[in-house]
Amino acid sequence: MSTPPTVRKVVFPAAGLGTRILPATAVLPKELLPIIDKPVIQFGVEEALASGLSQIILVSSPGKTLLEDHFDRHPELEEILERRGKSALLDGLRDVATQMELSTVFQDEPLGLGHAVLVSRELVDDEPFAVALSDDVIDADPPALRQMLTVYDEVGGPVLLVERVPRDAVSRYGVIDGESLGGGVFKVRDLVEKPDPAEAPSDLTIIGRYILTPDIYPALEATGYDAGGEMQLTDGLRRLLETRPIHAVELDGIRQDAGNKLGYLRAILYFARKHPELAGHLPELLRTLESDDALT
Ligand code: G1P
């Protein structure tokens, strides 16, 4: 097969209300909550950049300008760091801002992931693109999106990232029924959004990374809204499956779900163990916490 069109763009849906982490998210977008010293969404953006995707499309909500501000240049701060010779901090601040090309589109109402993807249509235009959900923070080498692009180059069509989860957890995810092609790749036979564990076709759940083709847009339009008033990307993909093959690849790496309190705490601890300034302190910190009288 000839090489399929190059993927250059990645859509980050970021218009959600973040109700699972209120009141922290009353003003601060949940995507900017820090995992130690880096906002949650920056992990996804750095993954995209490391995978060769530099055109970032933010699906934001009106008035939520902090996200764009974060990824903008900060001339005054840069100047102070430069004067003080803090070159590592300066590089950390500049690198992402200079490598990415950011554009924003607004989702006026939170009408579901499918709807968030649908409003990116004009900016994506007629080319394949990726979608990354920043709640899913992935530590992988090669980066998760790169793993998926390798499969995309082979199959030339949509690729979903999947992971096995315990059966009782499948109802929180989109779940695929897939035929294994080996090497962690599946040909999707069917997919269903948040099934009852007893009815789920497998334990292979979709995690927040997708490589999509522009024909997802008419498929989403035709799908419409579910009983809860949301447009589901999984339902749009199910419709698309009637007209073209869809593949999935199992993640080779570790994913954290930073979109809920416990998962967010886990993500912080996970990255603390890898953080050069903190790793050495963590065992002692956890020990002292455990022996802390205030906790007993
Ligand atoms: C969304 C998708 C779901 C997917 C999940 C991955 O659900 O609808 O299919 O498995 O992301 O994180 P949400 O987490 O927005 O409820």
Side-chain angles (χ1 to χ4, degrees), residues 20 113 133 135-136 172-175 193-194 205-208 210 232-234 255:
R20 278 180 278 193
L113 178 57
L133 310 186
D135 280 355
D136 287 312
R172 300 208 301 265
Y173 301 93
V175 181
E193 179 70 1
K194 304 197 170 103
T205 56
I206 303 172
I207 48 182
Y210 306 77
Q232 301 298 345
L233 181 55
T234 306
R255 175 191 73 111

Side-chain angles (χ1 to χ4, degrees), residues 62-136:
K64 205 171 172 180
T65 54
L66 285 177
L67 272 170
E68 286 167 284
D69 292 349
H70 173 74
F71 288 115
D72 210 347
R73 296 294 294 270
H74 308 281
E76 285 165 22
L77 183 55
E78 286 181 24
E79 201 199 302
I80 292 171
L81 293 174
E82 196 146 18
R83 246 189 291 134
R84 295 186 184 168
K86 306 266 187 201
S87 52
L89 287 178
L90 190 60
D91 291 347
L93 196 67
R94 264 185 196 156
D95 282 356
V96 171
T98 48
Q99 283 175 52
M100 70 194 262
E101 206 182 297
L102 183 69
S103 43
T104 306
V105 61
F106 292 125
Q107 185 185 14
D108 292 332
E109 280 182 89
L111 296 176
L113 178 57
H115 183 257
V117 172
L118 192 58
V119 301
S120 72
R121 189 177 197 166
E122 259 184 54
L123 290 177
V124 166
D125 207 6
D126 196 25
E127 55 181 286
F129 63 105
V131 173
L133 310 186
S134 54
D135 280 355
D136 287 312

